[in-house]
Amino acid sequence: MLQVENIHTYYGDSHILHSVSLEVKAGQVTSLLGRNGAGKTTTLLTMMGYLAPRQGSVTYRGQDISGKPAHRISRMGLGFVPQERGVFPSLTVEENLTVAARAGRDGRWTLPRIYELFPRLKERCANLGFQLSGGEQQMVSIARALMLNPDVILLDEPSEGLAPLIVQEIIEIVKRLRNEGLGVLLIEQNLGAALELGDVHYVLSKGQVCFVGDSETLRNDESVLSAHLSV
């Protein structure tokens, strides 16, 4: 579905990503792990067109999308849930969702289906964005991305700052998206959640991929855990 091959991304003269390669398959959760500053969010921003790689390519469904504008990439079928959530504070929950709906696209994610997946949002549909808890705002952010009917969804630390019960809700939602056949790329500092969700894990260190493997392999690799994922 989505393939990154040997990308090099810069902020000005600062070389952030060094020959990063990874892939996201349909019906799988791919996790991107690493300490703060490892280059995880930069990888997502490069995929979504906010940053253009100086070398390498980003391919979606066989088409090179490297450096295309973010709004065009989104319309092609990539959904992005940023770490900051970006809920419109003066719009209701329902307005936050319907404003993102893609006109004329016959997709699986309609408002009734969104409310089925997020019953809490149905209860809060008339509340304004600023009246929501952090967990509810995260749900709105994920639901709004789904209203674009993507084939792949990129999640940047969806459990950050949330209570354990809400984190478990988010985990169950991501599992549902995988079961629906979406490709999911997940950045997650909560290693337990990542190991529970991820079918394959990529670990970044200083802008380079230093590990690729499944949950069992990562869980048993003490050298990677201690060197690149421990606090």
Side-chain angles (χ1 to χ4, degrees), residues 80-179:
F80 179 41
V81 180
Q83 188 176 4
E84 299 81 8
R85 298 167 186 161
V87 172
F88 296 113
S90 61
L91 299 183
T92 67
V93 167
E94 191 152 313
E95 288 168 342
N96 265 279
L97 299 178
T98 55
V99 74
R102 191 179 308 181
R105 183 179 172 94
D106 183 19
R108 73 182 90 175
W109 293 106
T110 60
L111 196 59
R113 287 213 63 211
I114 290 292
Y115 284 153
E116 176 191 347
L117 182 62
F118 299 92
R120 187 185 301 236
L121 297 187
K122 184 174 183 180
E123 297 171 2
R124 305 278 273 164
C125 65
N127 287 87
L128 299 176
F130 77 89
Q131 297 173 318
L132 304 176
S133 68
E136 290 165 345
Q137 288 186 14
Q138 186 62 270
M139 292 178 189
V140 170
S141 189
I142 296 172
R144 187 174 54 193
L146 292 174
M147 289 293 286
L148 290 165
N149 281 287
D151 299 309
V152 175
I153 189 165
L154 314 180
L155 303 174
D156 194 351
E157 299 197 25
S159 73
E160 183 184 30
L162 303 182
L165 286 177
I166 303 299
V167 170
Q168 193 58 45
E169 284 191 51
I170 298 296
I171 288 173
E172 295 305 318
I173 288 166
V174 175
K175 288 180 179 178
R176 172 79 177 270
L177 298 182
R178 174 177 58 195
N179 293 340

Side-chain angles (χ1 to χ4, degrees), residues 2-227:
L2 181 63
Q3 186 172 27
V4 173
E5 187 170 0
N6 296 321
I7 59 170
H8 293 256
T9 300
Y10 291 70
Y11 286 114
D13 293 329
S14 298
H15 193 174
I16 306 301
L17 300 182
H18 302 260
S19 195
V20 169
S21 297
L22 60 85
E23 62 181 13
V24 180
K25 297 181 179 181
Q28 286 192 356
V29 175
T30 300
S31 84
L32 187 58
L33 306 173
R35 289 177 171 157
N36 289 336
K40 304 184 299 298
T41 296
T42 300
T43 302
L44 261 61
L45 295 177
T46 304
M47 290 177 172
M48 285 302 303
Y50 293 104
L51 297 169
R54 292 195 190 177
Q55 298 178 49
S57 63
V58 181
T59 305
Y60 174 67
R61 288 186 172 275
Q63 182 176 350
D64 189 347
I65 61 171
S66 309
K68 287 186 179 292
H71 67 279
R72 294 190 183 278
I73 291 175
S74 177
R75 289 174 183 169
M76 292 173 68
L78 268 65
F80 179 41
V81 180
Q83 188 176 4
E84 299 81 8
R85 298 167 186 161
V87 172
F88 296 113
S90 61
L91 299 183
T92 67
V93 167
E94 191 152 313
E95 288 168 342
N96 265 279
L97 299 178
T98 55
V99 74
R102 191 179 308 181
R105 183 179 172 94
D106 183 19
R108 73 182 90 175
W109 293 106
T110 60
L111 196 59
R113 287 213 63 211
I114 290 292
Y115 284 153
E116 176 191 347
L117 182 62
F118 299 92
R120 187 185 301 236
L121 297 187
K122 184 174 183 180
E123 297 171 2
R124 305 278 273 164
C125 65
N127 287 87
L128 299 176
F130 77 89
Q131 297 173 318
L132 304 176
S133 68
E136 290 165 345
Q137 288 186 14
Q138 186 62 270
M139 292 178 189
V140 170
S141 189
I142 296 172
R144 187 174 54 193
L146 292 174
M147 289 293 286
L148 290 165
N149 281 287
D151 299 309
V152 175
I153 189 165
L154 314 180
L155 303 174
D156 194 351
E157 299 197 25
S159 73
E160 183 184 30
L162 303 182
L165 286 177
I166 303 299
V167 170
Q168 193 58 45
E169 284 191 51
I170 298 296
I171 288 173
E172 295 305 318
I173 288 166
V174 175
K175 288 180 179 178
R176 172 79 177 270
L177 298 182
R178 174 177 58 195
N179 293 340
E180 292 276 351
L182 269 70
V184 180
L185 179 60
L186 173 71
I187 290 180
E188 186 53 72
Q189 292 285 8
N190 183 331
L191 182 59
L195 289 171
E196 180 177 348
L197 287 169
D199 297 291
V200 62
H201 307 278
Y202 293 80
V203 178
L204 286 183
S205 176
K206 298 180 181 178
Q208 295 179 295
V209 176
C210 63
F211 171 90
V212 183
D214 60 20
S215 291
E216 182 178 0
T217 304
L218 179 57
R219 190 179 286 112
N220 294 324
D221 194 327
E222 291 295 337
S223 62
V224 170
L225 293 175
S226 61

